[in-house]
Amino acid sequence: PPPPATHPPPTPHTPTRQSSSAASDVYKRQAQSDEPTARGDADWEGRLLNRLLAKDEAGAWSVVEAALASGLSPTGVYTQMITPSLARIGSLWESGEITVGDEHAAAHIAGRIIARIGPKMTSRGVRRGTVVLGSTSTDLHDLPITILADMLRAERFDVIDLGANLPPESFAAAVAQSDSVVAAAIGVTIAGQENAVSETVAAIRRVSDAPLLIGGAGIDADTAIELGASASARTGDEAVAAINALVAAN
């Protein structure tokens, strides 16, 4: 028989996790809180959260389709449904109400939904230049970067999405090799990455003086500016606005 799978021991700061039935309990509480609403007033975020907690990919996509049919834009699905739902699931994980597996399943479903919405985000018209997006060598979360990439494509930017866990030299090389770069952005989802951010900024600055956004839930504006950012943002909406402003100013 094959050897048993092994897993690294939990780090000391990892919170104690509840059994997998905890996700079911949270889902039931959320479902019980849902009340019938008029079509225009539907709680799309809550409905999507329900399906993600239930690990129901088909149901989650049905909720998204219904939201789109009701008039919510693809960008609205990102900012009003997926992003807040994932933030809520992250909080449930941090508080120990759901397991690592529950959180990973929800993120996986969200990623598959994003992959289906992405092609709807590209806008026609005169292109506004290229934005290169990526993360640090120590950041492992790529969904926020993917969401921002799609939102920028809706603004008529060409986007190169390098994802997470990216060596500084690779980020810099992509910037140097890309045509018509009007901005770059470093996503930081986990606090305490100042050294990695600094290394990435230094690598980019060796090859380009394009405006640089540093943002995400893992870094505050003051720290981002101190590390060399031209601008900072916490959310996707803020990042799009900041990049629009940087490009307009240059």
Side-chain angles (χ1 to χ4, degrees):
T6 59
H7 302 279
T11 54
H13 65 274
T14 301
T16 300
R17 302 292 167 217
Q18 304 299 321
S19 68
S20 59
S21 64
S24 177
D25 294 339
V26 173
Y27 157 67
K28 290 176 182 177
R29 292 200 302 272
Q30 177 66 30
Q32 290 168 355
S33 69
D34 285 347
E35 296 179 357
T37 55
R39 184 178 179 84
D41 299 326
D43 178 15
W44 298 121
E45 176 194 341
R47 294 183 183 185
L48 178 62
L49 177 61
N50 267 346
R51 296 299 92 212
L52 293 176
L53 289 172
K55 304 180 181 66
D56 179 6
E57 181 177 338
W61 177 244
S62 293
V63 172
V64 170
E65 284 188 309
L68 290 169
S70 78
L72 189 64
S73 68
T75 296
V77 171
Y78 281 0
T79 61
Q80 299 175 40
M81 294 176 65
I82 295 176
T83 298
S85 291
L86 289 177
R88 173 60 176 151
I89 286 168
S91 297
L92 291 171
W93 180 84
E94 287 292 337
S95 65
E97 294 184 68
I98 63 175
T99 69
V100 174
D102 297 326
E103 189 271 339
H104 283 193
H108 180 72
I109 293 171
R112 288 174 62 86
I113 291 172
I114 290 167
R116 298 176 75 169
I117 295 176
K120 303 177 185 293
M121 302 288 282
T122 300
S123 295
R124 297 179 179 179
V126 177
R127 312 316 296 166
R128 301 176 61 197
T130 300
V131 181
V132 183
L133 306 180
S135 189
T136 68
S137 60
T138 53
D139 201 307
L140 303 178
H141 299 111
D142 60 358
L143 284 183
I145 298 170
T146 301
I147 288 172
L148 177 57
D150 285 345
M151 292 174 67
L152 288 171
R153 290 185 182 107
E155 297 285 315
R156 293 185 289 108
F157 289 106
D158 294 318
V159 181
I160 297 175
D161 178 0
L162 301 172
N165 194 24
L166 186 66
E169 297 78 11
S170 297
F171 201 141
V175 173
Q177 295 166 7
S178 301
D179 295 328
S180 305
V181 173
V182 294
I186 303 171
V188 185
T189 66
I190 304 171
Q193 297 187 78
E194 288 79 8
N195 288 341
V197 172
S198 180
E199 291 171 359
T200 301
V201 171
I204 293 172
R205 283 290 171 251
R206 284 193 288 269
V207 301
S208 174
D209 60 358
L212 179 61
L213 173 79
I214 302 175
I219 193 166
D220 61 74
D222 290 341
T223 302
I225 298 302
E226 289 174 5
L227 292 175
S230 308
S232 181
R234 294 282 289 183
T235 67
D237 282 336
E238 290 177 4
V240 170
I243 289 175
N244 275 327
L246 289 171
V247 172
N250 286 273

